[in-house]
Each structure stands twice: as C-alpha cells, then as structure tokens.
Amino acid sequence: MAKTISDVIDIEGISPENLFKLLTDSKKISEITGFETKISTKEGDELSALNGGVFGRNLFIKPGRMIVQSWRRITWKKDWLDAILILSLTEKENGTRIDMTNANLPETELQFIDWNTYWNPVREYMMKKAQKAGV
C-alpha cells in the first residue's frame, strides 16, 4: 500500500529564490550531501541522487517557488508507482519554509526513506555560510 509523508522544513539564511538555485545546482548539492546528484531546472529532465541509487524526472518547475518530481529507488519493484515529491518554497523571516509532500511511497520502503540525510546537510551548509559572512 502506498503512503504519503508530509513535513515542513525551515532553512535559515536563504531566500526561496536562492534556495531554489541551490537545490537545482547538481555540483553544489553533490558537494553538500556527499552524494553524486544530477538535477536541473527544466521540466521533463531526468534526475538522480544518492550516487544513482535514486532516479526520476522533473514534472513541474516554478523557479523560486515549487519543484515537483517523480522518483524511485533502483531497488523498487518495476510494478511499483514512482513516488511524487512536491517542494513548495515560501519566504519566512530570515529564510525559507519548505512544505514537502512525498506521495506514492511503498509502505515496505518507508524505513529506507530519511529526508534528514538531505535537509540536515543543507541546513549545516547554510549555517557555515552565515558564520563565514559574520552573521
């Protein structure tokens, strides 16, 4: 049975526009997370993450506001639906609020899906950047 998870992620010290640019920069996200990532800002383009362990496609892109992607782990059964990830970016005081919804997740795979392994390094990157800027 497919499951949906939702979360709110706050990233301090970056506007939605700049966070969007960061999240769609393959080189920078690879550096931040420590995993090879390929992503773009174009609808229909393919993506991959976690050194190729996850792959998918951009379904909808609204620069600075929203990213919608389909994705799946390479270990998922062929007849399983792709997961759908929706990231909605909203400006908040001193940063960006991300409303994240991840749908069509196979129930048996939930134990392997930990978005903190992605968001925590992004937060740490922003904290280091703020420290260097003297904020």
Side-chain angles (χ1 to χ4, degrees), residues 23-133:
L23 296 177
T24 56
D25 183 327
S26 296
K27 183 177 178 183
K28 188 60 77 176
I29 287 296
S30 296
E31 177 185 315
I32 291 170
T33 63
F35 296 103
E36 183 182 355
T37 302
K38 293 181 183 172
I39 190 167
S40 84
T41 59
K42 295 180 182 172
E43 291 177 11
D45 277 3
E46 293 181 357
L47 62 96
S48 66
L50 299 174
N51 298 331
V54 169
F55 64 96
R57 180 174 309 278
N58 288 333
L59 299 177
F60 177 79
I61 299 288
K62 177 88 172 172
R65 304 279 298 153
M66 183 176 280
I67 300 170
V68 180
Q69 300 170 327
S70 66
W71 68 272
R72 62 188 303 116
R73 291 173 45 116
I74 61 170
T75 58
W76 289 5
K77 295 179 182 177
K78 299 256 187 248
D79 63 340
W80 290 355
L81 295 173
D82 287 354
I84 302 297
L85 175 66
I86 302 169
L87 301 176
S88 179
L89 312 176
T90 307
E91 189 166 358
K92 68 178 207 98
E93 187 175 335
N94 195 34
T96 300
R97 170 189 165 126
I98 304 166
D99 291 287
M100 180 182 81
T101 301
N102 205 175
N104 290 347
L105 298 169
E107 188 171 9
T108 58
E109 296 293 298
L110 290 177
Q111 64 187 335
F112 304 112
I113 299 168
D114 181 6
W115 279 101
N116 288 320
T117 60
Y118 184 79
W119 296 119
N120 287 343
V122 171
R123 283 189 192 99
E124 290 170 19
Y125 170 80
M126 290 311 303
M127 284 190 297
K128 288 177 186 173
K129 192 171 178 180
Q131 289 171 349
K132 285 182 182 179

